[in-house]
DNA sequence: CTCCCGCCACGACTTTTGTCGCTTTTTTAC
DNA sequence: GTAAAAAAGCGACAAAAGTCGTGGCGGGAG
């Protein structure tokens, strides 16, 4: 079990808790619990009511919705340091999506009652949470519009350009074509085809370890 | 200009303002302004920063994102009594979408500073706003998943079943095939084809005034 | 009244996306 | 290390979505 002192330090660094006093943070840390999830383990299912706020200390997750026939649409990736499940915690609604660990992930669970206390006592933190949710609304709006208005190729190119540091994208264990396809809202075959075409056109190069952008301008043209 | 007394009454009926005292509501009403928009008039554009909260007193609006080539994806319809632009007001972010009046619409504009005062003074109202935003997140998540995982036909059938009162849907002036198509994330031709197929299959009947569901079970089967 | 414009109907065609079957390669589990 | 499972490559095909052209109907504007 991770030390509560770690969480305490983390809590101090959250934007939305900034400026809270020692006792408040201690109380939050005291009532929270720690959990480690294995790769592919589910944190919560679509339709469940989950009343903890999650703070991801290490690892990475995906949030998705699945169709009856097994296809999935990834709505969001969560990396170290992010909080999630504001919807379940604060709106007391059934969760609209499923959260799954992509790799081993360590998570703090902060119970609803502790959080509500903080918000009522410190209205400024509510504004921070609202900003946080606004960011999510913005990215969901963008996702919906992209799914409807852009081709798979355009979405893939945008993903490449967003993710690239310099002209390189490091591939991790879970950055395989199947996962990328779910992220783009398509199937692995189609993504594979797009990759082949972009490779043949000399725009990108892809192997197991990385994706390299060879012609940034050319990519932008096609998107 | 509509009487501020009307807004005052309305404010009293907002969920998120419930329980506020007389002076607070009066102040809100005092600092708000009233505006009427003509059909097809734009309330705000994607990318603009808009610092008023809107309350739609009568009329109806659509919120959409457009692609360079002119297609649009409607993200949300707003009807009488709803508030919108929480994102712009509270998160101080550029608006992710454009809002357009579908018919003549009367709107109250509540400025940011007045709203922030209320929230800081009454943390409970922040929780109400958070719930409001959570609802939006949920419906955007659903929209994104539907766009990615369901066919146009399935989305149209779902729209029919959601909107129907009894087995009837009244068509208003702006419920034409062009608008319905934008709402479903497709083009009028495709929607027209789907309508013809469902009609030929004896599942629905559609004229200028209304859409009638003839075989609810049959529709659900196909979706 | 009539001309014009927007909406809709419909068929033909193109493009995009998704599916299938089969093979090879890579990863994982034991 | 080896066997089994998962991922990926690839071509052929099928289905869904989008585009284009033509033409009809009907409701304003003049």
């Amino acid at each position: 079990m991770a030390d509560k002192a770690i969480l305490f330090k983390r809590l101090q660094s959250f934007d939305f808790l900034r400026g809270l006093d020692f006792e408040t943070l201690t109380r939050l840390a005291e009532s929270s619990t720690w959990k480690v999830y294995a790769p592919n383990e589910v944190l919560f299912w679509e339709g469940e009511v989950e009343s903890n706020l999650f703070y991801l200390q290490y690892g990475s997750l995906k949030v998705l919705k699945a169709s009856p026939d097994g296809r999935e649409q990834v709505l969001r990736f969560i990396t170290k340091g992010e909080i999630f499940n504001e919807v379940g915690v604060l709106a007391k609604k059934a969760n609209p999506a499923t959260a799954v660990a992509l790799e081993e992930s360590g998570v703090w669970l902060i119970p609803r009652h502790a959080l509500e206390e903080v918000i009522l006592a410190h209205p400024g933190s509510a504004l921070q949470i609202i900003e946080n949710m606004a960011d999510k609304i913005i990215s969901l709006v963008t996702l919906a519009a992209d799914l409807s208005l852009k081709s798979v190729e355009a979405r893939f190119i945008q993903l490449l350009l967003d993710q690239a540091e310099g002209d390189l994208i490091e591939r991790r264990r879970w950055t395989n074509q199947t996962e990328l396809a779910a992220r783009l809202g398509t199937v692995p075959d189609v993504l594979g085809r797009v990759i082949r075409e972009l490779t043949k056109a000399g725009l990108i190069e892809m192997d197991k370890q990385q994706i390299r952008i060879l012609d940034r301008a050319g990519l932008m043209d096609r998107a």
Side-chain angles (χ1 to χ4, degrees), chain A residues 34-65:
Chain A
W34 169 252
K35 194 157 175 199
V36 174
Y37 292 87
N40 296 317
E41 201 178 343
V42 171
L43 284 81
F44 51 77
W45 288 98
E46 176 182 348
E48 278 181 6
V49 180
E50 167 58 58
S51 61
N52 289 298
L53 187 73
F54 289 71
Y55 170 75
L56 181 63
Q57 182 157 328
Y58 71 85
S60 58
L61 316 170
K62 60 178 172 181
V63 178
L64 59 90
K65 246 171 130 76

Side-chain angles (χ1 to χ4, degrees), chain A residues 85-120:
Chain A
N85 197 37
E86 296 97 324
V87 170
V89 173
L90 295 163
K92 298 167 184 131
K93 296 272 160 72
N95 221 293
T98 302
V100 182
L102 289 166
E103 53 182 330
E104 185 188 293
S105 298
V107 172
W108 283 104
L109 288 79
I110 305 169
R112 172 186 296 159
H113 63 86
L115 200 68
E116 278 180 345
E117 269 179 46
V118 173
I119 291 175
L120 291 176

Side-chain angles (χ1 to χ4, degrees), chain A residues 8-222:
Chain A
F8 182 81
K9 273 201 185 154
R10 290 293 173 169
L11 289 177
Q12 284 188 303
S13 73
F14 287 5
D15 275 344
F16 81 94
L17 298 176
R18 191 156 290 161
L20 295 194
D21 52 279
F22 182 80
E23 295 97 284
T24 312
L25 286 178
T26 310
R27 200 130 30 94
L28 262 186
E30 280 305 320
S31 48
S32 300
T33 55
W34 169 252
K35 194 157 175 199
V36 174
Y37 292 87
N40 296 317
E41 201 178 343
V42 171
L43 284 81
F44 51 77
W45 288 98
E46 176 182 348
E48 278 181 6
V49 180
E50 167 58 58
S51 61
N52 289 298
L53 187 73
F54 289 71
Y55 170 75
L56 181 63
Q57 182 157 328
Y58 71 85
S60 58
L61 316 170
K62 60 178 172 181
V63 178
L64 59 90
K65 246 171 130 76
S67 75
D69 59 319
R71 268 180 69 194
E72 56 181 56
Q73 171 65 52
V74 172
L75 298 161
R76 181 185 168 205
F77 274 76
I78 298 174
T79 55
K80 174 172 121 164
E82 290 186 73
I83 58 170
F84 56 105
N85 197 37
E86 296 97 324
V87 170
V89 173
L90 295 163
K92 298 167 184 131
K93 296 272 160 72
N95 221 293
T98 302
V100 182
L102 289 166
E103 53 182 330
E104 185 188 293
S105 298
V107 172
W108 283 104
L109 288 79
I110 305 169
R112 172 186 296 159
H113 63 86
L115 200 68
E116 278 180 345
E117 269 179 46
V118 173
I119 291 175
L120 291 176
H122 304 271
S125 63
L127 285 178
Q128 292 294 339
I129 289 178
I130 286 174
E131 267 191 59
N132 220 314
M133 292 178 82
D135 284 342
K136 273 173 208 174
I137 289 180
I138 291 173
S139 58
L140 282 170
V141 162
T142 307
L143 175 65
D146 285 355
L147 284 171
S148 161
L149 302 172
K150 291 186 178 173
S151 67
V152 171
E153 185 176 283
R155 299 203 295 274
F156 179 57
I157 289 176
Q158 188 170 312
L159 180 77
L160 290 181
L161 296 175
D162 285 353
Q163 298 273 309
E165 292 162 16
D167 283 340
L168 262 180
I169 299 169
E170 292 295 325
R171 300 186 72 186
R172 287 156 231 233
R173 306 123 225 38
W174 64 89
T175 320
N176 55 36
Q177 286 190 23
T178 309
E179 291 295 342
L180 286 174
R183 187 159 179 177
L184 296 172
T186 186
V187 288
D189 302 61
V190 173
L191 176 59
R193 191 154 54 212
V194 168
I195 291 173
R196 259 175 282 153
E197 279 159 11
L198 293 180
T199 306
K200 224 177 275 174
L203 298 172
I204 63 170
E205 231 172 43
M206 188 163 168
D207 62 33
K208 248 143 288 164
Q209 289 80 38
Q210 58 187 27
I211 309 173
R212 185 191 312 275
I213 294 175
L214 298 177
D215 180 355
R216 222 185 172 80
L219 281 179
M220 291 200 264
D221 267 6
R222 280 180 84 132

